[in-house]
Amino acid sequence: MGGPELERLIGLFAKLPGLGPRSARRIVLKLLRERETRLLPLAEALEAVAASVRTCSVCGNLDSCDPCMICVNPARERRICVVESVADLWALERALIYRGTYHVLGGSLSALAGRGPEDLAIASLLERLERDPPEEIILAMPATVDGAATGHYLAEKLKRYGVPVSRLAQGVPMGGALEVLDEGTLATALRARRLA
Amino acid sequence: MGGPELERLIGLFAKLPGLGPRSARRIVLKLLRERETRLLPLAEALEAVAASVRTCSVCGNLDSCDPCMICVNPARERRICVVESVADLWALERALIYRGTYHVLGGSLSALAGRGPEDLAIASLLERLERDPPEEIILAMPATVDGAATGHYLAEKLKRYGVPVSRLAQGVPMGGALEVLDEGTLATALRARRLA
Ligand SMILES: [Zn+2]
Ligand SMILES: [Zn+2]
């Protein structure tokens, strides 16, 4: 019902992460009820992003200029924070606690998924270090098996550049009640305990 | 981060029903990673829907033709099922159990929301009955206080047209464990019990 255009639109929404046929129908009906204020602006915003946003050739961030606003900002500290994804880069930027630059790997090493070093943006990171050595490299990999393996691999690779390499601390997240944390997090937090 | 186009797109997604900033960012990153297969098709599908889909001037359904495919289908039975929304119409169509036509009210009467008869598509329903009387009118209002009030109001209004008016049965939904049902549903199901 609703004609082929509507069926197609609902199908495209339904395949987006976190959505399904039911939520896609709800969204499309809402868009149609507010055509001028929602449907048309969304179509235009998608076109604008498709036309303007590209991957930064230096760090892998997404932005409407290349190099991105972070890479060209002279006020940024000469540190490189290595992250798995643009989502992780954005999370750090939102936290407003880091003033250096980034390097997006595009994933973690994974034997299971068959992802090796050549599938990640590692060569471009090493080139970057040779061209313009930073003061520090921070490995901000996720606290997963693959993330840890990727961190170890990179730490090894980076040794010969003579640049300090650090990692994010692991432990109890802010506001985290101990009882809901998994054993791995608790064990790490206990091992890394500090004098109070 | 990501430039004004990206910020704007994330903001528009975040305001859609069931979504927020976090899910909007996830969706937009997914779209950007699969530009050719997701981002551009979605932009095009939105444009196509904006250009083609309109409200049926007979029944209030949404379709790319007016009157809609349901209204112009001569195989449809000469019954009118009165529903609150296009979402409800679609739900009945998906169930494949009804072969008549529809009338979308656009809401229920609601003292709280200040919605009276003139805010709903009631005048167009009455005109439709005078122009072309159906064999039956089925009131498929939701089982809520407002839905029941709307049903009573319509049943009263429709009396003078001499057309049989029916309502959906209320009771235990299929697959519904009794223990999770609210007391209102249980009471209705018990009162409307039948000989087994
Ligand atoms: Zn960059
Ligand atoms: Zn129609």
Side-chain angles (χ1 to χ4, degrees):
Chain A
M1 55 253 150
E5 293 89 354
L6 213 43
E7 299 269 11
R8 178 146 189 278
L9 182 61
I10 293 169
L12 287 166
F13 268 109
K15 278 182 289 175
L16 292 177
L19 300 183
R22 179 189 287 262
S23 44
R25 283 192 297 265
R26 258 180 83 205
I27 286 172
V28 168
L29 282 172
K30 184 80 170 175
L31 290 173
L32 279 164
R33 267 199 301 272
E34 296 172 45
R35 201 176 284 242
E36 301 303 320
T37 55
R38 285 183 188 260
L39 202 163
L40 295 175
L42 186 61
E44 282 158 21
L46 282 165
E47 305 268 5
V49 160
S52 73
V53 175
R54 64 213 73 196
T55 300
C56 173
S57 55
V58 177
C59 76
N61 186 19
L62 289 162
D63 205 339
S64 37
C65 49
D66 180 18
C68 74
M69 291 301 287
I70 295 174
C71 283
V72 299
N73 184 345
R76 289 271 173 169
E77 294 173 358
R78 299 177 42 69
R79 292 172 214 283
I80 298 177
C81 181
V82 180
V83 290
E84 198 177 270
S85 65
V86 174
D88 291 350
L89 186 165
W90 288 359
L92 281 160
E93 283 295 290
R94 281 198 305 280
L96 298 171
I97 33 116
Y98 176 69
R99 310 156 127 264
T101 62
Y102 295 90
H103 197 83
V104 179
L105 288 181
S108 277
L109 297 174
S110 168
L112 210 66
R115 225 174 9 252
E118 67 289 347
D119 299 313
L120 305 180
I122 293 177
S124 61
L125 174 62
L126 302 182
E127 275 166 36
R128 213 175 145 187
L129 298 189
E130 289 189 349
R131 204 169 55 234
D132 186 19
E135 290 170 16
E136 182 189 7
I137 296 176
I138 301 166
L139 302 176
M141 316 313 300
T144 59
V145 172
D146 288 345
T150 310
H152 285 129
Y153 177 89
L154 286 174
E156 197 58 38
K157 272 274 176 192
L158 295 171
K159 262 184 188 158
R160 68 182 182 85
Y161 292 84
V163 175
V165 177
S166 63
R167 286 166 210 267
L168 294 188
Q170 288 183 8
V172 177
M174 288 286 285
L178 291 195
E179 60 177 354
V180 302
L181 292 175
D182 62 292
E183 292 170 18
T185 300
L186 286 174
T188 309
L190 190 66
R191 272 201 305 274
R193 67 188 180 278
R194 297 164 176 230
L195 283 174
Chain B
M1 55 252 152
E5 293 89 354
L6 213 44
E7 299 269 12
R8 177 147 189 275
L9 181 61
I10 292 169
L12 286 167
F13 268 109
K15 278 181 287 174
L16 292 178
L19 300 183
R22 179 188 286 261
S23 45
R25 283 192 297 267
R26 259 181 82 205
I27 286 172
V28 168
L29 282 172
K30 183 80 173 178
L31 291 174
L32 279 164
R33 267 199 301 273
E34 298 173 43
R35 200 175 285 241
E36 301 302 320
T37 55
R38 285 181 188 262
L39 201 163
L40 295 175
L42 185 60
E44 283 157 22
L46 282 165
E47 304 269 7
V49 160
S52 74
V53 175
R54 65 213 73 196
T55 300
C56 172
S57 56
V58 177
C59 75
N61 187 19
L62 290 162
D63 205 337
S64 36
C65 49
D66 179 17
C68 73
M69 290 300 288
I70 294 174
C71 284
V72 299
N73 184 346
R76 290 271 173 172
E77 295 173 357
R78 298 176 43 73
R79 295 171 212 283
I80 298 178
C81 181
V82 180
V83 291
E84 197 178 271
S85 66
V86 174
D88 291 350
L89 186 165
W90 289 359
L92 282 161
E93 283 294 290
R94 281 198 304 282
L96 297 172
I97 33 117
Y98 176 68
R99 310 155 129 265
T101 63
Y102 296 90
H103 197 84
V104 179
L105 288 181
S108 276
L109 297 174
S110 167
L112 210 67
R115 230 182 355 259
E118 67 290 349
D119 299 312
L120 305 181
I122 292 177
S124 61
L125 174 62
L126 301 182
E127 276 166 38
R128 213 175 144 185
L129 297 189
E130 288 189 352
R131 202 170 54 237
D132 187 18
E135 288 170 17
E136 183 187 5
I137 296 176
I138 302 166
L139 301 176
M141 314 315 298
T144 59
V145 172
D146 287 345
T150 311
H152 286 129
Y153 177 87
L154 285 174
E156 197 58 39
K157 273 271 176 193
L158 295 170
K159 262 184 189 156
R160 67 179 182 88
Y161 292 84
V163 176
V165 177
S166 62
R167 288 167 209 264
L168 294 188
Q170 287 182 10
V172 178
M174 286 288 285
L178 291 193
E179 60 177 355
V180 301
L181 292 175
D182 62 292
E183 291 169 19
T185 300
L186 284 175
T188 309
L190 190 64
R191 273 201 303 275
R193 67 188 179 279
R194 299 167 176 225
L195 283 174

